[in-house]
Amino acid sequence: MKIGFVGLGKMGANMTERLVGRGHAVVAFDIDEAARAAAVRTGAETATTLRELVAKLEPPRAVWTMVPAGGPTEETVWSLAAFLAAGDIIVDGGNSRYTDSVRRAAALKERGLILLDCGTSGGVWGLESGYCLMVGGEEAAFERLRPVFEALAPPEGYARVGPSGAGHFVKMVHNGIEYGLLEAYAEGFELLEARRDFDLDTARIARLWNRGSVVRSWLLELAERALGEDPHLKDIEGFVADSGEGRWTVLEAIDREVPVPAIAQSLFARFRSRQDESFGAKFVAALRNQFGGHAVRRK
């Protein structure tokens, strides 16, 4: 089928290429001319404006957006809505907050338009391995786009998980779990690294653990790769950003009174990673000196 695609970043460009490679016609748009040129080289048709993109599609149309959450998605969705007609579908494949997706879906429905919120996981490896797709929205619209989901996902790697908002809700929780997994691996490998007298080969240990152990995973395969390239990670700064989903997961847990201590602590660990020097740590050191005379390190 023919589909529009907005946003040709790392994931969007690969998703476009995967769709073309599996026989779909794609009309792609990005504000970056170089990104559009790269899409042409993979076999996609491009447009220089959203109006042009919509004009190149036959109704009922479908347009997939893959842009950053928040303002960029809001602007893109409503800009597209101005050119689309009743019965057309917009798929938001970015990491939007699920409450925004519920709101947008309801507002678009008043215009006769349909929003599918699609949590997308797979990162830069999705071109080769496929993307896990968690879709929320109307079942009929999901069925219309099933060939697109089948092309993007590995076998059994896509599903309609519920009504509008459910796709991004499931993806939010998915990313919260990812935070916890990453932190658990990080703490374990830091402990391995600390035992210098054993001269442990951490890349080899990651490879070993992926052969039958209960902690084997794709993340551990990536750990093996990263540690093989830089065993002590000397070229990497320990600054860990977050793009919002971990925060939203913790806030949702607070609202629902659901305990998620591991996910919450993994989020706070990311905050600590961004501090050049922790005032809190200095505070503890100062108080230990006050009550117990414990030594402090002076600048």
Side-chain angles (χ1 to χ4, degrees):
M1 64 181 295
K2 192 171 188 179
I3 186 170
F5 205 101
V6 179
L8 299 172
K10 291 179 180 178
M11 287 186 68
N14 283 349
M15 293 172 78
T16 296
E17 184 174 350
R18 187 174 172 94
L19 285 170
V20 171
R22 282 157 177 75
H24 294 280
V26 178
V27 181
F29 169 77
D30 194 281
I31 57 174
D32 181 30
E33 183 179 353
R36 296 197 303 270
V40 170
R41 290 194 291 272
T42 65
E45 183 181 0
T46 60
T48 56
T49 66
L50 294 179
R51 181 191 291 273
E52 182 187 351
L53 179 145
V54 172
K56 290 184 174 183
L57 300 173
E58 296 290 334
R61 308 170 188 86
V63 181
W64 190 300
T65 69
M66 206 72 192
V67 298
T73 294
E74 189 80 11
E75 181 179 352
T76 300
V77 166
W78 291 113
S79 295
L80 282 169
F83 307 125
L84 295 172
D88 291 344
I89 299 172
I90 299 174
V91 181
D92 176 8
N95 281 326
S96 292
R97 194 166 188 172
Y98 81 93
T99 50
D100 288 337
S101 298
V102 172
R103 170 180 56 80
R104 290 182 190 126
L108 288 168
K109 188 174 183 178
E110 293 179 359
R111 300 189 181 195
L113 301 173
I114 303 163
L115 178 72
L116 294 178
D117 52 288
C118 181
T120 307
S121 182
V124 296
W125 298 91
L127 173 60
E128 178 182 348
S129 302
Y131 302 87
C132 178
L133 305 175
M134 300 149 260
V135 186
E138 296 180 10
E139 188 164 3
F142 171 80
E143 290 298 333
R144 264 174 57 189
L145 293 189
R146 184 181 287 274
V148 172
F149 299 135
E150 287 181 344
L152 288 171
E156 300 185 56
Y158 71 97
R160 177 184 176 271
V161 295
S164 295
H168 281 149
F169 180 82
V170 171
K171 179 56 163 47
M172 178 191 74
V173 176
H174 163 283
N175 281 25
I177 292 170
E178 176 189 306
Y179 276 48
L181 290 172
L182 288 170
E183 181 62 20
Y185 281 132
E187 292 175 11
F189 277 89
E190 184 166 11
L191 188 56
L192 292 174
E193 179 75 7
R195 192 66 199 240
R196 298 293 178 85
D197 58 318
F198 281 173
D199 193 25
L200 298 173
D201 183 339
T202 51
R204 184 167 179 249
I205 291 168
R207 183 167 63 253
L208 171 66
W209 284 350
N210 262 320
R211 304 305 189 270
S213 92
V214 296
V215 298
R216 65 187 183 273
S217 73
W218 183 53
L219 288 175
L220 201 54
E221 292 176 18
L222 297 178
E224 177 188 343
R225 177 188 176 98
L227 292 167
E229 294 171 352
D230 184 1
H232 303 291
L233 305 180
K234 292 179 179 178
D235 295 331
I236 296 177
E237 184 180 350
F239 181 101
V240 187
D242 73 286
S243 54
E245 297 88 345
R247 300 184 189 212
W248 301 338
T249 303
V250 173
L251 290 172
E252 184 74 19
I254 293 170
D255 288 343
R256 305 288 174 184
E257 299 183 3
V258 174
V260 290
I263 293 174
Q265 283 298 106
S266 68
L267 175 64
F268 298 147
R270 293 194 179 195
F271 295 164
R272 175 59 67 90
S273 78
R274 301 169 208 169
Q275 296 177 314
D276 292 332
E277 190 169 26
S278 167
F279 179 83
K282 291 195 290 184
F283 186 87
V284 171
L287 263 61
R288 290 182 76 247
N289 175 258
Q290 291 290 329
F291 70 67
H294 300 290
V296 294
R297 295 186 181 184
R298 304 284 182 182
K299 290 186 177 180

